[in-house]
Amino acid sequence: MSTATILERLVDKASYAPGAVSVRWGQLLRSNPTLKDELAALAAGQQLSSLGEMGKLHSGVVPRANAYFIVRELPFDQVPARLHLTRSDMKRVAAVVDGMDFVCKIEREFLKPILKGPDSLESAFSLRRSQMRLFDVKDSKEALDAKSATGALAYLKRGETVAYNNSNDPLKGGIPAKRSQVKNRKPYWYSLQSDAAPAATRIVLPEHHDRRYVFTMVDAADTSVIIDTLYSFAPTDDQDAAFIHAGLNSLLGWYQVELRGRSQHGDGVLKVKIPDYRGILLANPSTVSAQRKAEALKAFAELAGCGSGPSLEELGTAERLAFDTAYLRACGFSDPANAVLLLEQELRALAGERVERKLSVADAKISRRKATNVAASVEAYASRIVGAMPAYPDPRTFRNAGEATSKISIIAPVDGPLLIGTGLFDLGEVSVGGTLVARTGSLEAASLVRAILLLEPTAKEIELPVGQRLQRLTAEWQSAVQRWDGEFKRAAERFLTGVSDRRTRDAVVNIALETLRAK
């Protein structure tokens, strides 16, 4: 289907039926026309087939309470003595620690090894094992009681009574059995819908890719449960698993993963969902000759450490070129050697675009990061403001030499916030925490005394002008304070541009005012 035909379908809502267009706008706009047309021709001739047509693709098990369902098995020398486990007991029972550092023993029958995230895929040929286990129970409590599975029963009781509050997300806190995303599972709240024993070979596909495109095959004897951000692909015919696995790890597979993925997933990470994977075109195992299959599989087996390091660094080696050429020949490309060069160019361009997008927003992310982390640097921000400000206006600088004054005694130490009395019985008094500090007789004089004590808390006596001169001095000082306040607000706004949290801004301003003796 040509690009023009696809665009014409978008004009009429009725003709744009579900499934009528199998590509997203991002893929449509970024596809290389030469590669797109050749892939379409090979797919029309049944030489290529989509991954979705060759088997079933499943998402990983999502426990919804990882701190409870995912536990870590302890080696024998780390098992607490209170569990009373012998080496013989460890054949049937395992000592585990959950996400809340609770140690208990659970029957091994209910503990499954897990593959969790791309880090579990060491390379295209090997897995990275860990001591992490999935607590996976299929039986009812009555059946567990009949089996004398006391460890599993006790741990289920814990999941129904103990809150696992190890996250700020309200959906990830509280008692596991009572969480909204857990309690309605069938037939039991602890039913995870994982395969008890995988019946076929599986290929593990990551949901997220950064610098590696890696897909690992797991044989049917491996009981590992695939968790969270990994997908599981089971081919319809188990005999095709190795050839499909090689195709996913080929240059053609990598190109389509980069093309079909969603690169807006933050920090330059590529996100590939199940519908994206289902549309990837690979060599059709039913139409490829046995000789071509054997050639591609032999070349694939000779790749050293495929997927163990940055994938783009593998390109250009003799082994990688031999494999990609053999695989594209099996796909039916008319000129495999030229197609390899074109695919590599397009892959590097797409990956480079993703990295450039990451770098283009780096400054904005740094600014946001500063805005969210300023709580720990409140004093530093306050110091910047203080350094840019002149001293707070001192009322004593507005006095004239030789003018008549009255002396006001300071009768108590200043060791707290200064308050001015405005009531009938305390008008003009300056106090600290209910203790009288000075008695002035007027609000004007009290405000001046308070300002001077803020600047000089150890003062024992303060002289103020009397009569009309006191009022003029007060007006001059208040005018200077207004100008100072305006300058302070401008300085605070300049230095707090990246601080959006209102409480943090208020904390910075308060500390700056206290440092400047203005509050």
Side-chain angles (χ1 to χ4, degrees):
M1 183 182 297
S2 66
T3 302
T5 304
I6 295 174
L7 292 174
E8 287 176 0
R9 288 194 173 208
L10 297 178
V11 176
D12 185 3
K13 182 178 179 181
S15 64
Y16 189 63
V21 179
S22 60
V23 297
R24 295 182 297 107
W25 276 105
Q27 179 187 350
L28 183 65
L29 296 174
R30 293 185 295 150
S31 296
N32 179 283
T34 302
L35 290 172
K36 181 175 68 66
D37 292 343
E38 187 157 13
L39 287 173
L42 292 172
Q46 302 298 312
Q47 292 169 284
L48 297 181
S49 182
S50 67
L51 189 65
E53 295 172 338
M54 293 187 282
K56 294 183 178 180
L57 193 61
H58 302 280
S59 60
V61 173
V62 182
R64 301 292 185 190
N66 285 7
Y68 174 77
F69 285 105
I70 297 179
V71 298
R72 178 171 58 87
E73 182 177 345
L74 297 175
F76 181 75
D77 58 354
Q78 295 181 16
V79 176
R82 63 180 175 80
L83 294 185
H84 304 292
L85 285 178
T86 65
R87 290 189 182 275
S88 178
D89 295 332
M90 295 285 282
K91 296 177 181 178
R92 186 184 65 88
V93 179
V96 300
V97 56
D98 65 9
M100 300 290 287
D101 295 326
F102 174 74
V103 181
C104 63
K105 51 186 178 182
I106 299 176
E107 291 75 14
R108 290 188 178 277
E109 176 185 354
F110 310 110
L111 298 173
K112 302 291 190 307
I114 65 172
L115 300 176
K116 186 178 187 296
D119 289 343
S120 296
L121 310 182
E122 193 167 43
S123 71
F125 307 107
S126 60
L127 299 168
R128 182 175 287 111
R129 303 295 182 177
S130 72
Q131 295 301 109
M132 305 308 293
R133 303 287 182 263
L134 180 70
F135 178 60
D136 188 15
V137 178
K138 307 294 183 186
D139 301 326
S140 64
K141 292 182 181 179
E142 292 74 15
L144 293 175
D145 190 41
K147 290 182 178 181
S148 297
T150 55
L153 282 170
Y155 197 63
L156 286 176
K157 181 67 174 177
R158 177 176 173 81
E160 295 170 342
T161 56
V162 177
Y164 279 68
N165 294 323
N166 58 350
S167 172
N168 293 326
D169 189 336
L171 295 178
K172 297 181 179 180
I175 298 172
K178 297 181 180 180
R179 295 185 187 182
S180 59
Q181 296 174 315
V182 174
K183 63 182 179 181
N184 294 324
R185 286 174 173 163
K186 303 297 181 184
Y188 318 110
W189 68 266
Y190 49 85
S191 299
L192 295 179
Q193 310 303 326
S194 62
D195 295 333
T201 302
R202 296 169 294 165
I203 301 174
V204 183
L205 306 89
E207 180 181 356
H208 301 142
H209 300 266
D210 187 4
R211 301 177 65 193
R212 291 197 307 156
Y213 311 101
V214 56
F215 309 94
T216 308
M217 190 162 63
V218 181
D219 61 46
D222 193 327
T223 60
S224 297
V225 179
I226 294 172
I227 298 291
D228 287 343
T229 57
L230 293 177
Y231 302 132
S232 172
F233 174 78
T236 304
D237 189 341
D238 202 52
Q239 295 180 352
D240 297 333
F243 190 59
I244 296 173
H245 175 233
L248 284 169
N249 286 284
S250 70
L251 181 57
L252 177 62
W254 292 357
Y255 163 72
Q256 292 182 86
V257 166
E258 189 68 57
L259 181 67
R260 300 180 68 86
R262 302 139 198 259
S263 59
Q264 68 271 25
H265 187 60
D267 294 329
V269 176
L270 187 71
K271 187 172 187 178
V272 188
K273 304 298 288 184
I274 287 182
D276 303 323
Y277 272 126
R278 284 180 178 148
I280 289 179
L281 295 173
L282 300 176
N284 189 344
S286 61
T287 60
V288 178
S289 67
Q291 181 182 352
R292 291 284 172 83
K293 279 185 185 178
E295 291 173 354
L297 290 174
K298 180 180 178 182
F300 180 56
E302 292 176 356
L303 287 178
C306 177
S308 60
S311 296
L312 296 184
E313 294 182 7
E314 295 182 25
L315 302 179
T317 63
E319 295 81 4
R320 166 56 68 173
L321 180 60
F323 163 61
D324 286 325
T325 304
Y327 186 77
L328 293 183
R329 188 179 296 113
C331 291
F333 277 79
S334 57
D335 187 353
N338 184 62
V340 167
L341 294 176
L342 187 55
L343 282 168
E344 181 177 341
Q345 292 172 357
E346 290 299 312
L347 175 62
R348 291 185 183 277
L350 292 171
E353 177 189 351
R354 175 160 57 93
V355 173
E356 287 176 3
R357 184 179 294 114
K358 171 185 175 181
L359 296 176
S360 68
V361 299
D363 291 340
K365 288 188 175 182
I366 290 174
S367 297
R368 290 197 298 270
R369 189 177 299 118
K370 287 181 179 177
T372 58
N373 292 338
V374 294
S377 304
V378 169
E379 293 185 358
Y381 276 87
S383 298
R384 295 181 184 180
I385 298 174
V386 172
M389 290 297 298
Y392 189 72
D394 189 338
R396 291 173 293 188
T397 61
F398 297 91
R399 283 172 40 189
N400 296 327
E403 64 183 5
T405 61
S406 64
K407 296 182 179 180
I408 299 174
S409 298
I410 308 303
I411 59 178
V414 178
D415 56 1
L418 290 163
L419 301 177
I420 297 176
T422 57
L424 179 63
F425 299 103
D426 62 350
L427 183 69
E429 293 182 353
V430 181
S431 61
V432 174
T435 301
L436 180 65
V437 171
R439 185 177 286 112
T440 67
S442 69
L443 290 177
E444 291 87 353
S447 63
L448 294 174
V449 168
R450 179 182 181 276
I452 294 171
L453 288 175
L454 286 174
L455 295 170
E456 188 181 346
T458 60
K460 301 299 183 182
E461 191 177 76
I462 295 174
E463 292 186 23
L464 293 180
V466 295
Q468 296 294 325
R469 179 60 190 140
L470 175 64
Q471 296 178 1
R472 288 197 298 272
L473 186 148
T474 302
E476 292 172 1
W477 173 73
Q478 289 178 342
S479 178
V481 168
Q482 288 180 356
R483 292 193 297 271
W484 188 92
D485 285 341
E487 188 175 350
F488 178 86
K489 290 178 181 178
R490 290 190 293 272
E493 189 62 33
R494 184 168 70 254
F495 287 108
L496 294 176
T497 300
V499 182
S500 58
D501 181 67
R502 173 52 55 186
R503 291 175 297 180
T504 302
R505 294 174 69 95
D506 291 343
V508 171
V509 167
N510 288 334
I511 290 178
L513 288 173
E514 290 174 1
T515 304
L516 290 164
R517 306 291 180 89
K519 182 178 180 181

PDB file of all heavy atoms in Angstrom, residues 241-268:
ATOM      1  N   ALA A 241      11.856 -21.495  16.294  1.00  0.00           N
ATOM      2  CA  ALA A 241      12.294 -20.552  17.322  1.00  0.00           C
ATOM      3  C   ALA A 241      13.695 -20.011  17.051  1.00  0.00           C
ATOM      4  O   ALA A 241      13.936 -18.799  17.144  1.00  0.00           O
ATOM      5  CB  ALA A 241      12.229 -21.212  18.695  1.00  0.00           C
ATOM      6  N   ALA A 242      14.645 -20.883  16.722  1.00  0.00           N
ATOM      7  CA  ALA A 242      16.032 -20.449  16.518  1.00  0.00           C
ATOM      8  C   ALA A 242      16.143 -19.475  15.348  1.00  0.00           C
ATOM      9  O   ALA A 242      16.880 -18.476  15.418  1.00  0.00           O
ATOM     10  CB  ALA A 242      16.937 -21.656  16.301  1.00  0.00           C
ATOM     11  N   PHE A 243      15.402 -19.743  14.256  1.00  0.00           N
ATOM     12  CA  PHE A 243      15.483 -18.880  13.077  1.00  0.00           C
ATOM     13  C   PHE A 243      14.831 -17.517  13.356  1.00  0.00           C
ATOM     14  O   PHE A 243      15.344 -16.473  12.937  1.00  0.00           O
ATOM     15  CB  PHE A 243      14.807 -19.564  11.895  1.00  0.00           C
ATOM     16  CG  PHE A 243      15.044 -18.874  10.587  1.00  0.00           C
ATOM     17  CD1 PHE A 243      16.323 -18.691  10.087  1.00  0.00           C
ATOM     18  CD2 PHE A 243      13.981 -18.393   9.837  1.00  0.00           C
ATOM     19  CE1 PHE A 243      16.548 -18.044   8.876  1.00  0.00           C
ATOM     20  CE2 PHE A 243      14.184 -17.750   8.622  1.00  0.00           C
ATOM     21  CZ  PHE A 243      15.475 -17.573   8.144  1.00  0.00           C
ATOM     22  N   ILE A 244      13.714 -17.514  14.075  1.00  0.00           N
ATOM     23  CA  ILE A 244      13.068 -16.246  14.443  1.00  0.00           C
ATOM     24  C   ILE A 244      13.964 -15.453  15.398  1.00  0.00           C
ATOM     25  O   ILE A 244      14.100 -14.230  15.290  1.00  0.00           O
ATOM     26  CB  ILE A 244      11.691 -16.510  15.075  1.00  0.00           C
ATOM     27  CG1 ILE A 244      10.759 -17.161  14.052  1.00  0.00           C
ATOM     28  CG2 ILE A 244      11.078 -15.218  15.604  1.00  0.00           C
ATOM     29  CD1 ILE A 244       9.432 -17.627  14.625  1.00  0.00           C
ATOM     30  N   HIS A 245      14.604 -16.179  16.317  1.00  0.00           N
ATOM     31  CA  HIS A 245      15.522 -15.544  17.258  1.00  0.00           C
ATOM     32  C   HIS A 245      16.672 -14.859  16.520  1.00  0.00           C
ATOM     33  O   HIS A 245      17.039 -13.712  16.823  1.00  0.00           O
ATOM     34  CB  HIS A 245      16.052 -16.610  18.226  1.00  0.00           C
ATOM     35  CG  HIS A 245      17.094 -16.109  19.171  1.00  0.00           C
ATOM     36  ND1 HIS A 245      18.333 -16.712  19.318  1.00  0.00           N
ATOM     37  CD2 HIS A 245      17.106 -15.052  20.010  1.00  0.00           C
ATOM     38  CE1 HIS A 245      19.040 -16.065  20.213  1.00  0.00           C
ATOM     39  NE2 HIS A 245      18.326 -15.054  20.653  1.00  0.00           N
ATOM     40  N   ALA A 246      17.218 -15.523  15.541  1.00  0.00           N
ATOM     41  CA  ALA A 246      18.287 -14.923  14.743  1.00  0.00           C
ATOM     42  C   ALA A 246      17.786 -13.695  14.000  1.00  0.00           C
ATOM     43  O   ALA A 246      18.481 -12.669  13.908  1.00  0.00           O
ATOM     44  CB  ALA A 246      18.843 -15.956  13.762  1.00  0.00           C
ATOM     45  N   GLY A 247      16.561 -13.753  13.469  1.00  0.00           N
ATOM     46  CA  GLY A 247      16.011 -12.615  12.739  1.00  0.00           C
ATOM     47  C   GLY A 247      15.828 -11.386  13.606  1.00  0.00           C
ATOM     48  O   GLY A 247      16.101 -10.258  13.177  1.00  0.00           O
ATOM     49  N   LEU A 248      15.380 -11.583  14.843  1.00  0.00           N
ATOM     50  CA  LEU A 248      15.210 -10.447  15.740  1.00  0.00           C
ATOM     51  C   LEU A 248      16.552  -9.783  16.049  1.00  0.00           C
ATOM     52  O   LEU A 248      16.625  -8.569  16.250  1.00  0.00           O
ATOM     53  CB  LEU A 248      14.533 -10.902  17.038  1.00  0.00           C
ATOM     54  CG  LEU A 248      13.029 -11.174  16.952  1.00  0.00           C
ATOM     55  CD1 LEU A 248      12.538 -11.875  18.218  1.00  0.00           C
ATOM     56  CD2 LEU A 248      12.252  -9.882  16.731  1.00  0.00           C
ATOM     57  N   ASN A 249      17.614 -10.585  16.110  1.00  0.00           N
ATOM     58  CA  ASN A 249      18.938 -10.053  16.410  1.00  0.00           C
ATOM     59  C   ASN A 249      19.707  -9.634  15.157  1.00  0.00           C
ATOM     60  O   ASN A 249      20.899  -9.323  15.239  1.00  0.00           O
ATOM     61  CB  ASN A 249      19.751 -11.090  17.187  1.00  0.00           C
ATOM     62  CG  ASN A 249      19.301 -11.214  18.628  1.00  0.00           C
ATOM     63  OD1 ASN A 249      19.588 -10.372  19.465  1.00  0.00           O
ATOM     64  ND2 ASN A 249      18.553 -12.276  18.913  1.00  0.00           N
ATOM     65  N   SER A 250      19.048  -9.627  14.017  1.00  0.00           N
ATOM     66  CA  SER A 250      19.693  -9.212  12.771  1.00  0.00           C
ATOM     67  C   SER A 250      19.592  -7.705  12.603  1.00  0.00           C
ATOM     68  O   SER A 250      18.842  -7.016  13.308  1.00  0.00           O
ATOM     69  CB  SER A 250      19.024  -9.901  11.576  1.00  0.00           C
ATOM     70  OG  SER A 250      17.714  -9.383  11.384  1.00  0.00           O
ATOM     71  N   LEU A 251      20.326  -7.175  11.650  1.00  0.00           N
ATOM     72  CA  LEU A 251      20.280  -5.750  11.338  1.00  0.00           C
ATOM     73  C   LEU A 251      18.876  -5.348  10.895  1.00  0.00           C
ATOM     74  O   LEU A 251      18.404  -4.253  11.231  1.00  0.00           O
ATOM     75  CB  LEU A 251      21.306  -5.435  10.251  1.00  0.00           C
ATOM     76  CG  LEU A 251      21.438  -3.979   9.798  1.00  0.00           C
ATOM     77  CD1 LEU A 251      21.751  -3.072  10.971  1.00  0.00           C
ATOM     78  CD2 LEU A 251      22.506  -3.848   8.727  1.00  0.00           C
ATOM     79  N   LEU A 252      18.197  -6.225  10.181  1.00  0.00           N
ATOM     80  CA  LEU A 252      16.825  -5.941   9.759  1.00  0.00           C
ATOM     81  C   LEU A 252      15.907  -5.822  10.966  1.00  0.00           C
ATOM     82  O   LEU A 252      15.053  -4.928  11.025  1.00  0.00           O
ATOM     83  CB  LEU A 252      16.331  -7.050   8.819  1.00  0.00           C
ATOM     84  CG  LEU A 252      14.878  -6.932   8.345  1.00  0.00           C
ATOM     85  CD1 LEU A 252      14.676  -5.658   7.528  1.00  0.00           C
ATOM     86  CD2 LEU A 252      14.477  -8.167   7.529  1.00  0.00           C
ATOM     87  N   GLY A 253      16.068  -6.714  11.945  1.00  0.00           N
ATOM     88  CA  GLY A 253      15.254  -6.653  13.155  1.00  0.00           C
ATOM     89  C   GLY A 253      15.538  -5.384  13.946  1.00  0.00           C
ATOM     90  O   GLY A 253      14.617  -4.700  14.406  1.00  0.00           O
ATOM     91  N   TRP A 254      16.817  -5.043  14.101  1.00  0.00           N
ATOM     92  CA  TRP A 254      17.177  -3.843  14.849  1.00  0.00           C
ATOM     93  C   TRP A 254      16.605  -2.588  14.196  1.00  0.00           C
ATOM     94  O   TRP A 254      16.089  -1.701  14.876  1.00  0.00           O
ATOM     95  CB  TRP A 254      18.699  -3.723  14.929  1.00  0.00           C
ATOM     96  CG  TRP A 254      19.359  -4.766  15.767  1.00  0.00           C
ATOM     97  CD1 TRP A 254      18.756  -5.748  16.502  1.00  0.00           C
ATOM     98  CD2 TRP A 254      20.765  -4.919  15.961  1.00  0.00           C
ATOM     99  NE1 TRP A 254      19.694  -6.516  17.135  1.00  0.00           N
ATOM    100  CE2 TRP A 254      20.940  -6.030  16.826  1.00  0.00           C
ATOM    101  CE3 TRP A 254      21.883  -4.251  15.485  1.00  0.00           C
ATOM    102  CZ2 TRP A 254      22.202  -6.464  17.226  1.00  0.00           C
ATOM    103  CZ3 TRP A 254      23.142  -4.679  15.881  1.00  0.00           C
ATOM    104  CH2 TRP A 254      23.297  -5.775  16.752  1.00  0.00           C
ATOM    105  N   TYR A 255      16.697  -2.521  12.885  1.00  0.00           N
ATOM    106  CA  TYR A 255      16.199  -1.343  12.169  1.00  0.00           C
ATOM    107  C   TYR A 255      14.708  -1.151  12.421  1.00  0.00           C
ATOM    108  O   TYR A 255      14.239  -0.036  12.696  1.00  0.00           O
ATOM    109  CB  TYR A 255      16.478  -1.504  10.673  1.00  0.00           C
ATOM    110  CG  TYR A 255      15.679  -0.569   9.787  1.00  0.00           C
ATOM    111  CD1 TYR A 255      15.965   0.797   9.735  1.00  0.00           C
ATOM    112  CD2 TYR A 255      14.634  -1.058   9.000  1.00  0.00           C
ATOM    113  CE1 TYR A 255      15.226   1.652   8.937  1.00  0.00           C
ATOM    114  CE2 TYR A 255      13.895  -0.216   8.191  1.00  0.00           C
ATOM    115  CZ  TYR A 255      14.193   1.149   8.158  1.00  0.00           C
ATOM    116  OH  TYR A 255      13.459   1.992   7.365  1.00  0.00           O
ATOM    117  N   GLN A 256      13.959  -2.232  12.363  1.00  0.00           N
ATOM    118  CA  GLN A 256      12.514  -2.109  12.550  1.00  0.00           C
ATOM    119  C   GLN A 256      12.142  -1.808  14.001  1.00  0.00           C
ATOM    120  O   GLN A 256      11.158  -1.113  14.263  1.00  0.00           O
ATOM    121  CB  GLN A 256      11.822  -3.386  12.082  1.00  0.00           C
ATOM    122  CG  GLN A 256      11.912  -3.588  10.578  1.00  0.00           C
ATOM    123  CD  GLN A 256      11.184  -4.834  10.133  1.00  0.00           C
ATOM    124  OE1 GLN A 256       9.985  -4.839   9.890  1.00  0.00           O
ATOM    125  NE2 GLN A 256      11.925  -5.925  10.038  1.00  0.00           N
ATOM    126  N   VAL A 257      12.936  -2.310  14.935  1.00  0.00           N
ATOM    127  CA  VAL A 257      12.701  -1.969  16.343  1.00  0.00           C
ATOM    128  C   VAL A 257      12.885  -0.475  16.552  1.00  0.00           C
ATOM    129  O   VAL A 257      12.056   0.193  17.181  1.00  0.00           O
ATOM    130  CB  VAL A 257      13.660  -2.769  17.260  1.00  0.00           C
ATOM    131  CG1 VAL A 257      13.680  -2.180  18.666  1.00  0.00           C
ATOM    132  CG2 VAL A 257      13.233  -4.229  17.320  1.00  0.00           C
ATOM    133  N   GLU A 258      13.956   0.077  16.007  1.00  0.00           N
ATOM    134  CA  GLU A 258      14.211   1.513  16.134  1.00  0.00           C
ATOM    135  C   GLU A 258      13.166   2.328  15.385  1.00  0.00           C
ATOM    136  O   GLU A 258      12.743   3.404  15.841  1.00  0.00           O
ATOM    137  CB  GLU A 258      15.609   1.839  15.610  1.00  0.00           C
ATOM    138  CG  GLU A 258      16.088   3.242  15.885  1.00  0.00           C
ATOM    139  CD  GLU A 258      16.339   3.517  17.358  1.00  0.00           C
ATOM    140  OE1 GLU A 258      17.149   2.789  17.975  1.00  0.00           O
ATOM    141  OE2 GLU A 258      15.729   4.469  17.889  1.00  0.00           O
ATOM    142  N   LEU A 259      12.721   1.810  14.239  1.00  0.00           N
ATOM    143  CA  LEU A 259      11.739   2.522  13.419  1.00  0.00           C
ATOM    144  C   LEU A 259      10.363   2.527  14.070  1.00  0.00           C
ATOM    145  O   LEU A 259       9.663   3.542  14.075  1.00  0.00           O
ATOM    146  CB  LEU A 259      11.668   1.879  12.028  1.00  0.00           C
ATOM    147  CG  LEU A 259      10.705   2.507  11.020  1.00  0.00           C
ATOM    148  CD1 LEU A 259      11.166   3.898  10.630  1.00  0.00           C
ATOM    149  CD2 LEU A 259      10.589   1.620   9.779  1.00  0.00           C
ATOM    150  N   ARG A 260       9.967   1.388  14.635  1.00  0.00           N
ATOM    151  CA  ARG A 260       8.611   1.245  15.159  1.00  0.00           C
ATOM    152  C   ARG A 260       8.485   1.680  16.614  1.00  0.00           C
ATOM    153  O   ARG A 260       7.377   1.883  17.110  1.00  0.00           O
ATOM    154  CB  ARG A 260       8.153  -0.212  15.022  1.00  0.00           C
ATOM    155  CG  ARG A 260       8.133  -0.731  13.591  1.00  0.00           C
ATOM    156  CD  ARG A 260       7.671  -2.185  13.552  1.00  0.00           C
ATOM    157  NE  ARG A 260       6.264  -2.301  13.921  1.00  0.00           N
ATOM    158  CZ  ARG A 260       5.245  -2.157  13.070  1.00  0.00           C
ATOM    159  NH1 ARG A 260       5.476  -1.891  11.791  1.00  0.00           N
ATOM    160  NH2 ARG A 260       4.011  -2.276  13.482  1.00  0.00           N
ATOM    161  N   GLY A 261       9.622   1.813  17.322  1.00  0.00           N
ATOM    162  CA  GLY A 261       9.570   2.189  18.736  1.00  0.00           C
ATOM    163  C   GLY A 261       9.186   3.642  18.936  1.00  0.00           C
ATOM    164  O   GLY A 261       9.126   4.435  18.004  1.00  0.00           O
ATOM    165  N   ARG A 262       8.963   3.973  20.182  1.00  0.00           N
ATOM    166  CA  ARG A 262       8.551   5.329  20.560  1.00  0.00           C
ATOM    167  C   ARG A 262       9.696   5.968  21.337  1.00  0.00           C
ATOM    168  O   ARG A 262       9.967   5.589  22.477  1.00  0.00           O
ATOM    169  CB  ARG A 262       7.279   5.268  21.409  1.00  0.00           C
ATOM    170  CG  ARG A 262       6.140   4.563  20.652  1.00  0.00           C
ATOM    171  CD  ARG A 262       5.347   3.643  21.565  1.00  0.00           C
ATOM    172  NE  ARG A 262       4.563   2.686  20.800  1.00  0.00           N
ATOM    173  CZ  ARG A 262       3.270   2.801  20.572  1.00  0.00           C
ATOM    174  NH1 ARG A 262       2.604   3.805  21.068  1.00  0.00           N
ATOM    175  NH2 ARG A 262       2.640   1.882  19.866  1.00  0.00           N
ATOM    176  N   SER A 263      10.356   6.935  20.719  1.00  0.00           N
ATOM    177  CA  SER A 263      11.592   7.479  21.283  1.00  0.00           C
ATOM    178  C   SER A 263      11.355   8.622  22.247  1.00  0.00           C
ATOM    179  O   SER A 263      12.298   9.228  22.723  1.00  0.00           O
ATOM    180  CB  SER A 263      12.511   7.960  20.154  1.00  0.00           C
ATOM    181  OG  SER A 263      11.866   8.957  19.385  1.00  0.00           O
ATOM    182  N   GLN A 264      10.108   8.943  22.560  1.00  0.00           N
ATOM    183  CA  GLN A 264       9.843  10.040  23.468  1.00  0.00           C
ATOM    184  C   GLN A 264       9.786   9.575  24.913  1.00  0.00           C
ATOM    185  O   GLN A 264       9.330  10.285  25.788  1.00  0.00           O
ATOM    186  CB  GLN A 264       8.509  10.727  23.119  1.00  0.00           C
ATOM    187  CG  GLN A 264       7.258   9.877  23.376  1.00  0.00           C
ATOM    188  CD  GLN A 264       6.884   9.029  22.189  1.00  0.00           C
ATOM    189  OE1 GLN A 264       7.725   8.704  21.384  1.00  0.00           O
ATOM    190  NE2 GLN A 264       5.628   8.669  22.078  1.00  0.00           N
ATOM    191  N   HIS A 265      10.281   8.378  25.206  1.00  0.00           N
ATOM    192  CA  HIS A 265      10.154   7.829  26.543  1.00  0.00           C
ATOM    193  C   HIS A 265      11.241   8.337  27.489  1.00  0.00           C
ATOM    194  O   HIS A 265      11.788   7.590  28.267  1.00  0.00           O
ATOM    195  CB  HIS A 265      10.190   6.294  26.468  1.00  0.00           C
ATOM    196  CG  HIS A 265       9.905   5.620  27.783  1.00  0.00           C
ATOM    197  ND1 HIS A 265       8.722   5.790  28.461  1.00  0.00           N
ATOM    198  CD2 HIS A 265      10.657   4.794  28.550  1.00  0.00           C
ATOM    199  CE1 HIS A 265       8.753   5.083  29.571  1.00  0.00           C
ATOM    200  NE2 HIS A 265       9.921   4.477  29.660  1.00  0.00           N
ATOM    201  N   GLY A 266      11.610   9.590  27.434  1.00  0.00           N
ATOM    202  CA  GLY A 266      12.518  10.187  28.412  1.00  0.00           C
ATOM    203  C   GLY A 266      13.927   9.654  28.369  1.00  0.00           C
ATOM    204  O   GLY A 266      14.157   8.467  28.215  1.00  0.00           O
ATOM    205  N   ASP A 267      14.891  10.523  28.511  1.00  0.00           N
ATOM    206  CA  ASP A 267      16.307  10.171  28.575  1.00  0.00           C
ATOM    207  C   ASP A 267      16.779   9.390  27.354  1.00  0.00           C
ATOM    208  O   ASP A 267      17.739   8.620  27.437  1.00  0.00           O
ATOM    209  CB  ASP A 267      16.614   9.362  29.838  1.00  0.00           C
ATOM    210  CG  ASP A 267      16.411  10.185  31.105  1.00  0.00           C
ATOM    211  OD1 ASP A 267      16.618  11.409  31.025  1.00  0.00           O
ATOM    212  OD2 ASP A 267      16.065   9.614  32.138  1.00  0.00           O
ATOM    213  N   GLY A 268      16.121   9.530  26.227  1.00  0.00           N
ATOM    214  CA  GLY A 268      16.562   8.885  25.005  1.00  0.00           C
ATOM    215  C   GLY A 268      16.310   7.400  24.941  1.00  0.00           C
ATOM    216  O   GLY A 268      16.841   6.711  24.069  1.00  0.00           O
TER     217      GLY A 268
END
